[in-house]
């Protein structure tokens, strides 16, 4: 039985130029949520980055905190697409599926491409686990896996044998299975074990026996690969490094990139950063990352609830810090009234929304883009704020800086949208030169700004922004708050004329943000033509690859990817009207499509998906072909 991994790399056009050594490979690790699949995938990602391959990952968690062991809804998976070519997505169909138990096989084998390789742990395919996975007979024996290549052996027994010298109990010894599996994967793709060995020594520095046992399991899995190759079914592949610009690189998740970008944005503004948050999936990692950055003027506060978290951040902004809060859809809903307060008081505030499937509790660990209406419109009253959407983990860094810039320059809350895919996924990131970012230092009002020594907290500059006044500044006593104010003095005034003036001023200020953001460019292709695919957020990767493949086939299609979701770039309407057709792929029921129709009266057509999974390249390719048929 030959094992040939001929992955269709992103951008590959097929045909006779395929090589037995592929340009890109997609591997999925799947097992019980206690099997350490995310740890395995994360360390394989590290080794892949060190090998110089381009990569993208997709961690896929179960929603339950700890589902019953061996059940279908307790499966945890980690997919990585890596190779010597440009990688923009975690890949469509895996070439290799590592299934640690029957449930992992059942929930993931349907995604494996025909002819792909299944590596299965026969030690877990016992009667009890087969019943939990709803199998009447073992799929390893009934011929149902004929369309794939199968390498099935007892990983559990091999792991126990490898760690036997260290005297671990059976349960503790089996926890080393993921390292055994990782060792085999490292051998398959010619990866260096030493960085992982060093990592294990550091992780278990206080328990050296556990470190040695895991290292032994890692080495045993690696050695098994060599043995299996001699026996025939398994082959080793070496993927050349991807071409890249010289520089310092590291892997980064979306949550990490946002955290670093927020700190950078505060530094560029000359401010200390205050983060008020409350744990919620998948946004919690931002709090975890910022808590480690205290030396950069960062204060983190885990509040008792979502409302307290944003209220504390607003208080920090009132006191002269850059206030930041973060959550996911349900938590953003709870923050709604306080967002209105920040809009009414016109204080800078950054709100990060790591979107997940909804409504209500919805799909806590799955990805979606269904909070766009909530971001643009979702507050009581006329309460406009800028909205920015990151397209990838590394892009989240620059988007966070941009959110900080808009917040302090326009004295407004800004919402930054990511999603579960971006927050948890990882990709290589070229660490930017800090000198390449233009500072936007804040100037606080330090003396009266009205006639006869009066203080006018709602006087406005050329951007429509009011002055930022630190409380306690001598001679600058002033009033701000949630009740409508007089347009200049800030005294309570909810007369019809006052409310009309202030409502218009707040709207005009946010509308004016469009003049301070870059013009929308065509991401791939030309301005004007038969078809444009317009995206925002994490749909960037599959849209980009689908359009690139379609253009290589000679199809007249272009990609436009929007970062500034509200207000929209000033030239976007004219650009959209230069195409005969516009399709908007998004992971919701058509929210951005509706915004574009409303703003520009263009006949934008939706391409929607709400399965909790990202778009595949093939799905978007099919939509392009249908539109141009």
């Amino acid at each position: 039985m030959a094992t040939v991994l001929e992955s269709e790399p992103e951008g590959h056009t097929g045909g006779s130029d395929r090589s037995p050594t592929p340009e890109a490979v997609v591997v999925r690790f799947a097992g019980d949520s206690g099997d350490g699949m995310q740890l395995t995938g994360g360390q394989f990602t590290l080794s892949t980055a060190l090998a110089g391959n381009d990569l993208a990952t997709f961690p896929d968690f179960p929603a339950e905190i700890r589902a019953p062991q061996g059940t279908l809804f307790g499966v945890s998976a980690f997919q990585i697409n890596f190779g010597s070519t440009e990688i923009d997505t975690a890949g469509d169909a895996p070439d290799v599926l590592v299934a640690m138990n029957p449930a992992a096989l059942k929930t993931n084998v349907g995604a494996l491409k025909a002819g792909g390789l299944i590596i299965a742990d026969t030690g877990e395919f016992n009667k009890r686990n087969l019943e939990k996975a709803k199998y009447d007979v073992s799929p390893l024996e009934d011929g149902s896996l004929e369309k794939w290549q199968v390498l099935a052996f007892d990983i559990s027994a091999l792991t126990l044998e490898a760690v036997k010298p260290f005297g671990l109990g059976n349960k503790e010894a089996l926890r080393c299975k993921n390292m055994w599996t990782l060792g085999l994967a490292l051998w398959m793709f010619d990866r260096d074990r030493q960085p992982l060995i060093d990592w294990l020594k550091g992780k278990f520095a206080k328990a050296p026996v556990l470190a040695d046992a895991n290292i032994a399991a890692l080495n045993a899995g690696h050695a098994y690969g060599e043995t299996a190759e001699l026996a025939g079914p398994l082959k080793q592949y070496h993927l050349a490094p991807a071409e890249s610009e010289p520089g310092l690189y590291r892997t980064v998740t979306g949550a990490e990139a946002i955290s670093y970008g927020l700190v950078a944005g505060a530094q560029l503004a000359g401010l200390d950063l205050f983060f008020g948050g409350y744990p919620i999936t998948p946004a919690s990692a931002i709090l975890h990352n910022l808590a480690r950055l205290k030396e950069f003027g960062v204060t983190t506060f885990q509040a008792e609830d979502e409302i307290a978290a944003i209220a504390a951040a607003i208080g920090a902004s009132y006191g002269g810090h850059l206030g930041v809060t973060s959550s996911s859809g349900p938590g953003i809903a709870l923050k709604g009234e306080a967002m209105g307060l920040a809009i009414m008081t016109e204080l800078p505030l950054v709100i990060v929304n790591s979107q997940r499937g909804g409504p209500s509790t919805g799909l806590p660990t799955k990805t979606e883009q269904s909070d766009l209406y909530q971001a643009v419109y979702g507050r009581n009253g006329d309460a406009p704020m800028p909205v920015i959407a990151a397209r990838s983990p590394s892009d989240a860094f620059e988007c966070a800086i941009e959110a900080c810039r808009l917040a302090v320059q326009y004295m407004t809350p800004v919402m930054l949208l990511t999603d579960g895919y971006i927050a948890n996924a990882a990709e290589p990131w070229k660490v930017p030169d800090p000198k390449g970012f233009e500072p936007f230092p804040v100037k606080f009002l330090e003396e009266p700004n009205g006639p006869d020594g009066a203080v006018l907290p709602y006087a406005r500059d050329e951007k429509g922004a009011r002055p930022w006044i630190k409380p306690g500044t001598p001679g600058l006593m002033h009033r701000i708050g949630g009740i409508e104010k007089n347009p200049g003095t800030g005294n309570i005034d909810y007369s019809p004329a006052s409310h009309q003036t202030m409502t218009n001023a707040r709207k005009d200020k946010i509308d004016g943000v469009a003049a301070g953001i870059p013009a929308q460019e065509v991401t791939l292709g030309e301005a004007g033509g038969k078809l444009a695919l317009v995206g925002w957020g994490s749909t960037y990767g599959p849209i980009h690859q689908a359009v690139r493949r379609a253009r290589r086939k000679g199809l007249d299609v272009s990609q436009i990817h929007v970062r500034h979701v509200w207000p929209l770039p000033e030239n976007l309407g004219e650009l959209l009207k230069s195409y005969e057709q516009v399709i908007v792929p998004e992971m919701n029921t058509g929210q951005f499509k509706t915004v574009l129709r409303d703003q520009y009266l263009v006949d934008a057509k939706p391409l929607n998906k709400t399965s909790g999974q990202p778009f595949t390249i093939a799905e978007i390719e099919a939509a392009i072909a249908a539109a141009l048929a």
Side-chain angles (χ1 to χ4, degrees):
M1 177 174 61
T3 301
V4 181
L5 303 178
E6 291 189 315
S7 172
E8 172 103 352
E10 296 180 345
H12 189 71
T13 55
S16 60
D17 59 337
R18 288 194 183 195
S19 165
T21 300
E23 290 184 0
V25 171
V26 180
V27 178
R28 183 180 296 182
F29 300 93
D32 191 74
S33 55
D35 284 338
M37 292 297 93
Q38 303 304 324
L39 183 65
T40 302
Q43 293 307 308
F44 188 76
T45 298
L46 173 63
S47 70
T48 299
L50 291 172
N53 296 131
D54 197 7
L55 64 94
T57 70
F58 178 43
D60 194 14
F61 307 94
E64 290 77 9
I65 292 175
R66 185 65 181 92
Q69 192 168 0
T71 56
L72 294 171
F73 46 87
V75 173
S76 178
F78 187 102
Q79 182 162 307
I80 176 171
N81 184 12
F82 61 98
S84 57
T85 187
E86 179 187 349
I87 303 292
D88 287 308
T89 81
D92 283 9
D95 298 285
V96 180
L97 170 64
V98 180
M100 302 299 285
N101 63 11
L105 179 64
K106 188 163 194 175
T107 56
N108 289 280
V109 72
L112 188 65
K113 66 175 53 176
L117 175 65
I118 298 169
I119 298 175
D121 178 10
T122 59
E124 292 294 323
F125 279 71
N126 53 47
K127 187 173 185 289
R128 179 178 172 81
N129 284 344
L130 289 168
E131 288 175 352
K132 287 181 181 179
K134 313 298 183 187
Y135 279 122
D136 294 326
V137 295
S138 173
L140 301 179
E141 300 169 359
D142 66 358
S144 61
L145 305 178
E146 286 182 346
K147 62 187 287 189
W148 300 289
Q149 301 174 75
V150 180
L151 185 63
F153 50 93
D154 197 337
I155 295 176
S156 299
L158 291 167
T159 303
L160 291 173
E161 183 64 27
V163 303
K164 190 175 180 179
F166 303 98
L168 302 180
N170 196 65
K171 185 177 180 180
E172 216 166 24
L174 285 175
R175 284 178 178 165
C176 300
K177 274 200 309 182
N178 62 336
M179 287 298 110
W180 195 101
T181 306
L182 179 58
L184 178 61
L186 294 178
W187 176 85
M188 283 181 67
F189 299 103
D190 196 19
R191 298 280 182 259
D192 184 8
R193 281 168 288 164
Q194 193 57 48
L196 282 304
I197 292 171
D198 295 340
W199 176 82
L200 285 166
K201 288 180 178 178
K203 180 177 176 62
F204 296 109
K206 295 182 179 179
V209 172
L210 291 180
D212 292 342
N214 278 280
I215 292 168
L218 183 80
N219 290 334
H222 193 276
Y224 183 89
E226 297 174 349
T227 306
E229 182 185 35
L230 294 174
L234 200 62
K235 302 296 179 187
Q236 187 179 48
Y237 291 88
H238 176 79
L239 278 71
E243 291 185 11
S244 58
E245 298 177 7
L248 175 64
Y249 286 81
R250 57 157 292 172
T251 58
V252 69
T253 66
E256 290 171 336
I258 284 174
S259 302
Y260 300 145
L262 290 171
V263 173
Q267 298 270 320
L268 291 168
L271 299 171
D272 287 338
L273 185 147
F274 176 92
F275 180 90
Y278 180 76
I280 184 171
T281 301
S284 301
I286 297 172
L287 171 60
H288 303 161
N289 285 305
L290 286 174
R292 304 186 188 106
L293 301 173
K294 292 183 176 69
E295 66 269 30
F296 298 104
V298 177
T299 300
T300 52
F301 168 59
Q302 180 175 315
E304 66 268 28
D305 56 42
E306 296 282 9
I307 299 171
I310 187 172
I314 292 171
S317 290
Y318 176 62
H321 288 58
L322 178 58
V324 180
T325 191
S326 169
S327 191
S328 297
I332 297 295
L334 289 168
K335 296 179 190 289
E337 182 183 359
M339 280 189 260
L341 175 62
I343 290 167
M344 197 71 159
T345 55
E346 299 187 51
L347 285 167
L349 179 71
V350 177
I351 304 148
V352 183
N353 181 356
S354 302
Q355 300 167 95
R356 69 191 210 185
S360 186
T361 308
L363 308 175
T365 61
K366 308 301 180 184
T367 194
E368 205 163 273
Q369 292 180 298
S370 53
D371 293 350
L372 185 70
Y373 285 160
Q374 185 184 42
V376 176
Y377 306 120
R379 293 159 294 280
N380 67 293
D382 284 298
M385 71 162 75
V387 179
I388 300 172
R391 74 184 194 185
S392 68
S394 58
D395 184 56
F397 175 80
E398 292 190 12
C399 287
I401 292 176
E402 175 68 350
C404 296
R405 181 185 74 84
L406 294 179
V408 299
Q409 290 190 344
Y410 291 87
M411 292 294 287
T412 179
V414 178
M415 188 173 290
L416 171 56
L417 295 175
T418 68
D419 56 44
Y421 181 29
I422 290 176
N424 295 323
E427 66 180 4
W429 176 49
K430 183 181 179 184
V431 180
D433 184 351
K435 297 177 183 176
F437 294 94
E438 188 72 29
F440 39 89
V442 167
K443 292 183 179 179
F444 293 96
L445 187 66
E446 295 181 348
E447 56 187 28
N449 60 341
D452 301 322
V455 178
L456 302 177
Y458 285 98
R460 301 188 182 277
D461 64 14
E462 68 281 357
K463 288 186 170 70
R466 75 169 189 86
W468 198 354
I469 308 172
K470 282 188 179 182
T473 303
L476 297 186
M477 185 182 294
H478 65 289
R479 176 190 285 120
I480 62 173
I483 297 179
E484 190 62 280
K485 299 294 187 290
N486 180 276
T489 66
N491 295 330
I492 293 175
D493 183 354
Y494 41 87
S495 65
S498 176
H499 183 50
Q500 185 73 61
T501 299
M502 291 294 274
T503 299
N504 291 345
R506 289 188 290 265
K507 179 181 185 300
D508 292 344
K509 178 176 71 171
I510 302 307
D511 289 346
V513 170
I517 61 177
Q520 181 65 51
E521 296 182 350
V522 179
T523 310
L524 181 61
E526 296 84 28
K530 290 185 177 180
L531 176 63
L533 266 66
V534 182
W536 65 278
S538 66
T539 56
Y540 171 81
I543 294 174
H544 189 71
Q545 291 299 336
V547 170
R548 190 166 75 173
R549 291 183 184 182
R551 289 180 61 82
R552 286 184 175 181
K553 296 174 184 176
L555 299 180
D556 184 0
V557 57
S558 298
Q559 177 190 17
I560 297 170
H561 210 76
V562 180
R563 171 183 281 184
H564 292 87
V565 173
W566 194 266
L568 294 161
E570 290 183 318
N571 68 321
L572 181 58
E574 181 182 353
L575 183 58
L576 295 181
K577 290 175 182 177
S578 69
Y579 297 95
E580 295 176 17
Q581 297 185 71
V582 173
I583 295 177
V584 185
E586 48 186 333
M587 293 183 289
N588 55 46
T589 56
Q591 296 183 17
F592 193 49
K593 169 269 301 178
T594 303
V595 172
L596 295 178
R597 284 181 173 181
D598 170 64
Q599 293 297 302
Y600 304 124
L601 299 179
V602 295
D603 188 20
K605 299 287 175 49
L607 176 62
N608 304 130
K609 183 174 183 176
T610 56
S611 65
Q613 300 292 315
F615 275 104
T616 64
I617 302 169
E619 287 170 333
I620 297 177
E621 278 189 292
I624 294 172
L628 296 178

